[in-house]
Amino acid sequence: MANMRAMVLERPRTPLVMRERPMPEPGPGEVLISVQACGVCRTDLHVVDGELEHPRLPLVPGHEIVGRVLRLGAGVSGFAVGERIGVPWLGATCGKCPYCRSGRENLCDAPVFTGYTRDGGFATHTVANARYCFPLGDAGDDAEIAPWLCAGLIGWRSYRMAGEGKALGIYGFGAAAHILAQVATKQGRRVFAFTRRGDTAAQEFARSLGAAWAGASDEMPPEPLDAAIIFAPVGALVLAALKAVKKGGCVVCGGIHMSDIPSFPYALLWEERQVRSVANLTRDDAHAFLALAPDAGVTCEVTRYPLERANEALADLREGRLQGAAVLIP
Ligand SMILES: [Zn+2]
Ligand SMILES: [Zn+2]
């Protein structure tokens, strides 16, 4: 086969560079995929910016992959050549550690992460462990589905951790929030969207996706919240969210990296308020979300970039210039 092309991180805090590489061979249990679209997640930004330590180097980032199966490695069953599949952040787990054995493979002691500890989807082709890929069917546009693979899945897991309360706050209205707002309102929740002060475009966007209210993150919502999810990587938002949730309310931190959380008076946590994080995803999360998203009519607002303009996409995400999600098209 011809060579593949990839946008490669050679050292953190340097721009990705376009490289040609020999076409990889799928090993046992793996599939070779022709990438159709790959979303750009904030986690990619944390890796490129050196905020997540010890990535594989050189690294092809990207873990919101929609592609077509080109070749099956030995022993792969359940996928056919030509089938459209999705590859998420969780690239593999050990299957043996206490977490894997207790239904918490998201916390596996020896995990593999797509686009972090193995090469991901900022490329024309990639190889993935078939047991951690998902069939996507043929309905829907590749680019508009790509953000489901992380923003959608992590948002879904965060949402489940937030409990059953009807009044749900979402801090940071990016890719994950814009998907989750649609799911939550479909399920009868009232969504309160918090953005940077003065970001009226994001607030308008949130209202257009069903949010009952949208305002600045230092404002109090019009009613106390049952729970809040924080997607923005800003530790001070934990305090804002704790102030906004009612007794027994939960604040869920949905990102992999956050600036330090300032110290705060115990009174903010008192009355059984909780703060927790959400890490990674399980395959069960993915099956649940991927079954529900099409029925809920979830749509993604995406900005498409040719693969070779990955650095521009990362910069737009870093600077908050995007509405919805950035997606690379090889
Ligand atoms: Zn494990
Ligand atoms: Zn992600």
Side-chain angles (χ1 to χ4, degrees):
M1 270 200 223
N3 284 348
M4 61 169 274
R5 291 179 304 126
M7 290 299 285
V8 178
L9 178 71
E10 300 192 324
R11 266 183 310 123
R13 290 177 291 279
T14 62
L16 307 184
V17 286
M18 178 63 85
R19 294 284 183 236
E20 273 207 19
R21 293 173 164 188
M23 187 67 68
E25 280 292 322
E30 294 182 332
V31 283
L32 173 64
I33 296 162
S34 147
V35 178
Q36 305 298 304
C38 185
V40 180
C41 172
R42 184 163 291 280
T43 298
D44 299 313
L45 203 52
H46 293 317
V47 172
V48 171
D49 289 347
E51 290 159 339
L52 287 186
E53 294 192 313
H54 310 301
R56 168 207 166 97
L57 289 174
L59 173 74
V60 181
H63 56 272
E64 297 183 325
I65 304 169
V66 173
R68 295 270 171 188
V69 177
L70 265 190
R71 198 180 287 177
L72 304 173
V76 173
S77 60
F79 289 121
V81 170
E83 184 172 358
R84 188 170 70 163
I85 66 173
V87 186
W89 169 247
L90 189 74
T93 55
C94 76
K96 292 182 289 213
C97 75
Y99 295 102
C100 282
R101 284 190 283 119
S102 59
R104 294 180 290 169
E105 66 181 1
N106 60 307
L107 300 177
C108 176
D109 284 334
V112 175
F113 294 121
T114 309
Y116 182 39
T117 61
R118 83 173 290 167
D119 281 340
F122 289 6
T124 56
H125 298 79
T126 193
V127 163
N129 183 324
R131 291 173 54 230
Y132 296 81
C133 299
F134 307 102
L136 293 177
D138 286 319
D141 176 79
D142 297 328
E144 289 171 18
I145 287 175
W148 292 7
L149 272 304
C150 184
L153 300 184
I154 295 294
W156 172 249
R157 186 171 179 84
S158 303
Y159 176 68
R160 285 206 302 113
M161 299 303 160
E164 301 289 321
K166 291 289 183 203
L168 177 69
I170 302 181
Y171 288 77
F173 210 83
H178 102 287
I179 296 174
L180 183 57
Q182 299 173 59
V183 173
T185 51
K186 280 279 174 1
Q187 297 193 342
R189 313 288 180 101
R190 293 186 302 286
V191 170
F192 300 84
F194 298 84
T195 74
R196 273 183 260 212
R197 176 162 285 284
D199 194 348
T200 49
Q203 292 165 14
E204 191 53 49
F205 184 45
R207 282 188 287 265
S208 77
L209 293 171
W213 174 91
S217 56
D218 56 358
E219 279 181 68
M220 288 299 275
E223 62 175 284
L225 305 175
D226 292 301
I229 300 172
I230 302 176
F231 290 123
V234 180
L237 292 176
V238 173
L239 280 63
L242 276 171
K243 285 178 195 158
V245 298
K246 61 176 78 158
K247 288 184 282 189
C250 186
V251 174
V252 180
C253 303
I256 193 168
H257 172 84
M258 194 179 238
S259 60
D260 285 355
I261 301 170
S263 71
F264 57 89
Y266 179 59
L268 279 186
L269 188 64
W270 171 239
E271 295 169 327
E272 302 196 348
R273 290 175 183 85
Q274 299 177 57
V275 179
R276 66 165 301 162
S277 64
V278 156
N280 313 315
L281 68 138
T282 67
R283 283 172 286 177
D284 285 346
D285 294 326
H287 288 298
F289 176 78
L290 294 172
L292 153 162
D295 290 344
V298 172
T299 57
C300 284
E301 176 145 333
V302 299
T303 305
R304 293 168 169 80
Y305 299 78
L307 175 61
E308 55 271 21
R309 282 169 53 200
N311 290 308
E312 200 179 311
L314 288 165
D316 287 347
L317 179 60
R318 190 186 288 111
E319 302 303 326
R321 288 192 288 258
L322 282 161
Q323 188 147 289
V327 178
L328 304 182
I329 310 291

